[in-house]
Amino acid sequence: MRVLLVGGGGREHAIGEVLVRSGAELYVVSNHKNPGLARLAKGYGLAKETDVGKVLEYAEKFGVDMAFIGSEAPLEKGIVDTLEENGVPAVGPSREAAKLETDKAFARAFMEHNKIPGRKVFRVFTDVTEMRSWIDDFGKPVVVKPIGLTGGKGVKVVGYQLNDNEEAKAYAEELIRRDGRVLIEERTDGVEFTFQVFSDGKHVVPIPLTQDYPHAYENDEGPITGGMGSYSCPNGLLPFVTKEDYERALETLKATVEATRREGTPYKGILYGQFMLSRDGPVLIEYNARFGDPEAINVLPLLKTSLLEIAEGIVDGNLRKAEFESKATVVKYLAPRGYPANPVKGVKVEVNEKAVEETGARLYYASIDESFNLLGSRAIAVLGIAKSLEDAERIAESAVPHIRGELFYRRDVGTGESVGKRIKLMKELGREFEPNPC
């Protein structure tokens, strides 16, 4: 089976590795040549991932049987629609179904119309005066969001106290003037977690939960990034997520897929729910229409089921199962100094791959070229896998000294102390629960 993978980040390196392990013959199209994927691929095309016509040309040149779309930007351009119209089945949602991620206002209205559980109060504004008046009348803390794709990097999602909504209004006004629209939501306090599922438009198959560390610096400080690391637990849950919370969040995703089917735009691919676990249970913060990055790096290496079989099930509407090893994982991303605002670029990184391998960790390349020069975004991920979170974190941490360059990372990703803070926060919110072992 010849599979075309679209995308060249750490997430795609993980997808490509597992596809090859499943017996696929891999071909890749991405903006830059990922050194990890270049070793796995039989053919590699360089093109903008959003240049749908060029991607189709490569698909036809390579004679692929199927495509797997890694990142969100090509989905917004209708890459799945174009490929399928030209006889190439693709793992990923259609342009219309992908609006769950690419248009946040659409997603909120979709949830409201279909009474999807986990909703929150929201409004979309095009008028500055009306927006300012509504925030004043609402009388509760709010969050201000752009409507479209932001890539998870430098997103100025602003939560405010009751007596400090002027900055929220100023940011919302800036977005209205720039984009024509803005999304205002009630603020939800709690701890975020990631719930990803496979879907063939009818069936939904869950993937182990993960938790991302979006802030650039330790102790959850600094600007929001694409994600500085993440962890998962052997039981597929998280220490602060109860079985009941898990079932409620899964019901949100199942109801979402069922609603897309009813509306004639069945959702096929990976659906990722970013949830906030509040005092009252899981609330959906946003949908993503693909694997998370870094979260894909946590879960894909644990797959016991063939990813190729899963991909075929998604495109055939015959998805059955996805089994994962019961192990803990920790991913730590190394990013260029200055990331996300002013990252160092064009500087060479030294990687002692043999020494990393001896630690038991795995390497995943992302925003770095074949000569190991930094391209400006998160560059290299290290993955630790073990029976316990403590051991997985130790393995990931032990790999970092073997990667040298103008890089920084978060030492606290997956540590007992950082996880303990999340458990403590949930208890401070009034949640009574016994933490799950990890």
Side-chain angles (χ1 to χ4, degrees):
M1 175 77 73
R2 294 179 164 217
V3 181
L4 180 69
L5 177 60
V6 180
R11 162 184 50 213
E12 287 77 28
H13 187 180
I15 293 169
E17 177 188 77
V18 180
L19 282 171
V20 170
R21 193 177 81 197
S22 300
E25 190 173 286
L26 186 69
Y27 296 83
V28 180
V29 174
S30 67
N31 296 332
H32 72 281
K33 190 173 272 192
N34 178 306
L37 283 171
R39 296 172 197 173
L40 295 167
K42 296 284 188 183
Y44 208 119
L46 290 176
K48 284 188 175 180
E49 293 150 27
T50 52
D51 187 342
V52 173
K54 195 70 178 171
V55 174
L56 177 61
E57 277 182 35
Y58 276 118
E60 291 172 340
K61 176 185 172 184
F62 294 141
V64 298
D65 304 300
M66 180 194 299
F68 201 119
I69 315 304
S71 54
E72 61 274 25
L75 296 171
E76 185 177 34
K77 300 295 183 185
I79 192 167
V80 169
D81 310 65
T82 298
L83 288 168
E84 294 194 335
E85 284 162 11
N86 287 275
V88 182
V91 177
S94 65
R95 187 205 303 256
E96 188 64 25
K99 282 170 68 177
L100 287 174
E101 173 170 12
T102 62
D103 186 335
K104 291 183 180 68
F106 169 86
R108 284 293 174 207
F110 172 90
M111 288 188 77
E112 197 65 34
H113 173 68
N114 290 288
K115 303 292 183 281
I116 307 292
R119 303 190 299 282
K120 54 159 66 184
V121 175
F122 78 98
R123 290 291 184 277
V124 176
F125 293 100
T126 56
D127 181 88
V128 171
T129 305
E130 194 180 336
M131 171 273 294
R132 286 180 167 274
S133 175
W134 186 86
I135 289 178
D136 288 337
D137 292 344
F138 186 58
K140 296 177 188 174
V142 297
V143 175
V144 180
K145 293 182 179 179
I147 297 288
L149 287 178
T150 53
K153 301 177 187 70
V155 184
K156 194 177 177 186
V157 178
V158 199
Y160 293 89
Q161 300 300 327
L162 283 174
N163 60 355
D164 190 25
N165 270 341
E166 288 311 308
E167 193 181 345
K169 288 186 277 192
Y171 179 47
E173 181 172 342
E174 180 188 321
L175 291 175
I176 289 173
R177 299 204 187 287
R178 188 190 77 186
D179 304 334
R181 297 187 297 165
V182 68
L183 176 65
I184 313 282
E185 299 176 350
E186 65 175 317
R187 196 179 77 184
T188 305
D189 293 320
V191 177
E192 287 192 50
F193 67 93
T194 298
F195 199 155
Q196 303 171 109
V197 297
F198 294 113
S199 170
D200 63 3
K202 302 186 295 289
H203 310 103
V204 171
V205 174
I207 296 169
L209 300 186
T210 51
Q211 186 173 39
D212 179 30
Y213 287 64
H215 291 273
Y217 312 130
E218 286 165 24
N219 301 313
D220 303 317
E221 295 176 356
I224 297 292
T225 70
M228 295 300 294
S230 45
Y231 71 92
S232 69
C233 296
N235 59 7
L237 299 172
L238 292 168
F240 54 88
V241 177
T242 67
K243 188 66 178 168
E244 182 187 353
D245 296 328
Y246 174 92
E247 293 297 341
R248 286 176 64 181
L250 180 56
E251 183 50 41
T252 292
L253 298 175
K254 284 181 172 177
T256 300
V257 170
E258 173 58 23
T260 64
R261 189 188 63 78
R262 275 199 315 269
E263 294 195 353
T265 55
Y267 190 99
K268 301 175 79 167
I270 294 92
L271 180 61
Y272 158 169
Q274 191 69 38
F275 287 91
M276 182 73 79
L277 186 56
S278 71
R279 185 177 60 188
D280 301 318
V283 175
L284 188 97
I285 299 300
E286 63 184 21
Y287 294 107
N288 288 311
R290 33 68 193 186
F291 276 121
D293 188 351
E295 295 97 329
I297 302 170
N298 293 92
V299 296
L300 285 171
L302 300 181
L303 251 182
K304 292 197 288 186
T305 311
S306 158
L307 183 58
L308 193 53
E309 283 181 22
I310 292 169
E312 288 181 286
I314 288 170
V315 300
D316 294 343
N318 197 27
L319 181 64
R320 287 288 172 259
K321 64 174 185 175
E323 293 181 0
F324 295 83
E325 289 184 69
S326 298
K327 289 186 177 176
T329 67
V330 172
V331 174
K332 301 196 181 199
Y333 248 125
L334 286 81
R337 294 196 188 283
Y339 172 80
N342 297 294
V344 171
K345 296 180 185 179
V347 178
K348 198 173 183 66
V349 173
E350 293 179 16
V351 184
N352 187 334
E353 294 186 352
K354 188 171 185 295
V356 170
E357 189 179 332
E358 287 170 357
T359 68
R362 302 187 193 185
L363 277 172
Y364 293 90
Y365 292 109
S367 184
I368 195 165
D369 68 17
E370 269 200 301
S371 300
F372 286 72
N373 293 309
L374 296 172
L375 299 176
S377 193
R378 296 166 300 162
I380 301 172
V382 292
L383 167 69
I385 302 175
K387 290 182 178 177
S388 71
L389 185 65
E390 183 180 4
D391 286 345
E393 190 277 330
R394 178 183 52 76
I395 291 168
E397 186 69 24
S398 68
V400 175
H402 304 297
I403 304 166
R404 296 181 180 174
E406 292 290 307
L407 300 162
F408 78 100
Y409 75 107
R410 284 187 59 169
R411 291 177 184 272
D412 63 345
V413 172
T415 61
E417 184 182 0
S418 75
V419 174
K421 285 180 182 175
R422 287 148 175 77
I423 293 169
K424 183 182 176 190
L425 176 56
M426 291 313 305
K427 293 198 167 180
E428 286 173 351
L429 285 172
R431 299 267 299 178
E432 294 185 11
F433 65 99
E434 195 61 41
N436 296 308
C438 192

